[in-house]
Amino acid sequence: MGKEKEEINYKRNDEQRKDWKKIHEERRAQKRKWKEEKLLKKMEKEAKRQKEEEVIQKEEAPKQGRQHTVSIALPGSILDNAQSPELRTYLAGQIARAAVIFNIDEIIIFDEIYSKESSIEGEFQGVGKKGQANVQMARILQYLECPQYLRKSFFPHHKDLQYAGILNPLDSPHHMRAEDEVPYREGVVTNKPVKAGRGSLVNCGIGKQDVQIDRLLTAGIRVTVKINKYDPSRRVIQGRVVSPVAPREDGGLYWGYSVRLANSLGAVFTECPYKDGYDLTIGTSERGADVDDVNVNGDRFRHALIVFGGVQGLEASLESDEALDIEDPSLLFQYYVNTCPEQGSRTIRTEEAILISLASLRPKLKGQVNT
């Protein structure tokens, strides 16, 4: 009996030792788990802190792109000098080409026969001689600026665009090919369904691939998207919505022009979209000072504006503007220049004046940017 009792006690002690061993192993495993969780939390906290610092540094760091803008203004009535609807359309295309060649950021079309009853809104007749030239030019300019893969979404059939097929392409940097792997793209928000918590799908012209952005937006609007990473193997790639000026300000890219309608010469200045207005204004006229003698050193600018007159010049535009109580157009501008002195032709057409003036003024404006 004594021997059997000893054996029972031995077995019981052995089982207790095994239980304690198991308990110790479980405790050690739990401690390891706690340490790992603590380390993970620490790493997540450190990663979050680094990310916040990167954001702060990015916001504080000076942007590497182009901060300044150059705008041009001209009357839409120049289309009325074209002999046919096709030539009206082609003339507007020449304006667009000149603007893109010289990196113009804004084109303002103003009405040079302004009266207090005039309007830039409503339905108009189209490209015929009775068409509303200001609106027609603005529509053609907007059509050309829009990337080709987006035009069907934003430009339904319209008489003003009847002869758009004869227009030369702008070939601007934001007019991408499907295979181009560039950091920014223009797109249209689609109405495709997405999972809860996901952003909208955007057609950015990348073949059959859509871009999923970081927020839900109304279908049918145009957005500028920054692509996170191109991946041809995926049906959907990731991106985020950015400001339309981000490609210019952050990436240093020319990203096309905006179009604004103004119902008078005065409205070109008073309806400026920039907070502090245009800080450098230049008027062009054969009655202005010789461009070779003009020196803009010291007049640093952030937003420059260059204004062109119609057939009768800026003098006629000023005379018809009932809201402006001055007679000399040179008083409207900091500089009033003749960009083609000693011209061989009696007249210089506005589309020619734009190319001549921008080429003449470009070296004078270079280096005068206020950063």
Side-chain angles (χ1 to χ4, degrees):
M1 290 293 293
K3 190 175 181 180
E4 290 176 359
K5 189 174 181 180
E6 288 178 3
E7 288 178 359
I8 291 170
N9 289 334
Y10 178 79
K11 288 179 180 180
R12 186 182 296 135
N13 291 336
D14 188 48
E15 289 174 358
Q16 287 177 347
R17 280 194 296 271
K18 288 180 179 179
D19 289 341
W20 279 109
K21 188 176 181 181
K22 185 178 179 181
I23 291 169
H24 285 311
E25 288 177 354
E26 288 176 352
R27 285 180 176 175
R28 282 196 293 269
Q30 185 65 40
K31 285 182 179 180
R32 283 196 300 272
K33 185 178 178 181
W34 286 340
K35 286 182 179 179
E36 289 173 358
E37 289 177 350
K38 188 176 180 180
L39 182 61
L40 282 172
K41 288 181 179 178
K42 186 177 179 180
M43 290 173 65
E44 288 175 358
K45 188 176 180 180
E46 181 66 20
K48 185 178 179 182
R49 185 187 64 80
Q50 289 179 354
K51 190 174 181 180
E52 289 175 349
E53 286 181 355
E54 288 175 2
V55 170
I56 293 171
Q57 289 174 0
K58 188 176 180 181
E59 290 176 349
E60 292 178 348
K63 295 182 178 180
Q64 300 302 311
R66 176 168 64 90
Q67 307 302 306
H68 70 279
T69 66
V70 179
S71 303
I72 62 173
L74 67 152
S77 62
I78 65 170
L79 294 189
D80 292 333
N81 290 325
Q83 290 81 8
S84 68
E86 294 92 336
L87 288 175
R88 284 168 71 94
T89 301
Y90 191 77
L91 174 55
Q94 288 180 290
I95 303 298
R97 286 283 303 170
V100 169
I101 289 170
F102 287 97
N103 294 352
I104 297 302
D105 302 290
E106 181 192 28
I107 304 177
I108 307 111
I109 310 301
F110 65 89
D111 189 347
E112 69 172 351
I113 53 171
Y114 168 73
S115 68
K116 292 180 179 178
E117 289 76 31
S118 64
S119 173
I120 56 174
E121 300 177 355
E123 294 295 327
F124 302 99
Q125 301 300 316
V127 297
K129 274 301 205 177
K130 295 181 180 179
Q132 218 287 358
N134 299 317
V135 176
Q136 182 191 349
M137 178 178 278
R139 184 174 283 114
I140 295 172
L141 292 176
Q142 288 178 327
Y143 174 83
L144 278 172
E145 185 277 335
C146 183
Q148 291 89 331
Y149 58 87
L150 297 179
R151 287 175 181 170
K152 286 185 178 179
S153 300
F154 296 108
F155 294 92
H157 179 74
H158 193 282
K159 288 183 179 180
D160 282 351
L161 302 174
Q162 182 178 353
Y163 299 103
I166 68 173
L167 295 170
N168 293 316
L170 299 186
D171 204 19
S172 181
H174 68 302
H175 288 196
M176 310 294 180
R177 282 75 172 173
E179 64 276 10
D180 292 342
E181 294 190 2
V182 289
Y184 299 95
R185 277 184 175 269
E186 291 293 295
V188 57
V189 179
T190 70
N191 57 4
K192 295 179 181 179
V194 294
K195 293 181 180 178
R198 300 283 182 88
S200 300
L201 293 174
V202 178
N203 172 19
C204 289
I206 316 175
K208 295 183 179 179
Q209 286 182 304
D210 286 326
V211 179
Q212 189 150 49
I213 55 176
D214 55 341
R215 65 191 74 177
L216 278 174
L217 295 175
T218 305
I221 65 172
R222 178 174 166 177
V223 291
T224 304
V225 176
K226 186 170 185 181
I227 307 296
N228 293 346
K229 183 181 179 182
Y230 285 90
D231 188 349
S233 65
R234 297 178 68 100
R235 187 173 59 86
V236 174
I237 59 179
Q238 300 299 313
R240 59 187 178 88
V241 175
V242 296
S243 167
V245 300
R248 170 176 60 82
E249 292 187 348
D250 299 336
L253 300 170
Y254 175 62
W255 212 245
Y257 53 78
S258 62
V259 180
R260 175 163 67 91
L261 279 167
N263 61 10
S264 69
L265 176 59
V268 171
F269 301 89
T270 59
E271 297 172 3
C272 174
Y274 307 114
K275 182 180 177 182
D276 298 321
Y278 302 108
D279 49 5
L280 177 63
T281 56
I282 301 172
T284 60
S285 171
E286 62 180 3
R287 299 175 180 84
D290 191 323
V291 69
D292 297 328
D293 299 329
V294 173
N295 188 352
V296 298
N297 288 340
D299 285 332
R300 303 185 70 82
F301 73 94
R302 188 71 179 269
H303 303 294
L305 171 67
I306 305 169
V307 183
F308 301 89
V311 177
Q312 303 299 323
L314 285 173
E315 291 79 9
S317 300
L318 178 61
E319 186 178 346
S320 67
D321 192 336
E322 300 171 7
L324 291 175
D325 190 23
I326 57 175
E327 296 180 359
D328 185 356
S330 65
L331 299 176
L332 283 173
F333 307 97
Q334 290 168 261
Y335 298 94
Y336 199 58
V337 299
N338 179 0
T339 55
C340 190
E342 302 177 9
Q343 63 195 57
S345 173
R346 290 188 181 89
T347 57
I348 294 180
R349 298 173 65 88
T350 303
E351 65 272 23
E352 297 167 339
I354 290 174
L355 285 169
I356 294 168
S357 301
L358 293 179
S360 301
L361 293 170
R362 181 180 177 276
K364 295 182 179 294
L365 299 182
K366 191 176 181 181
Q368 297 304 115
V369 178
N370 185 5
T371 57

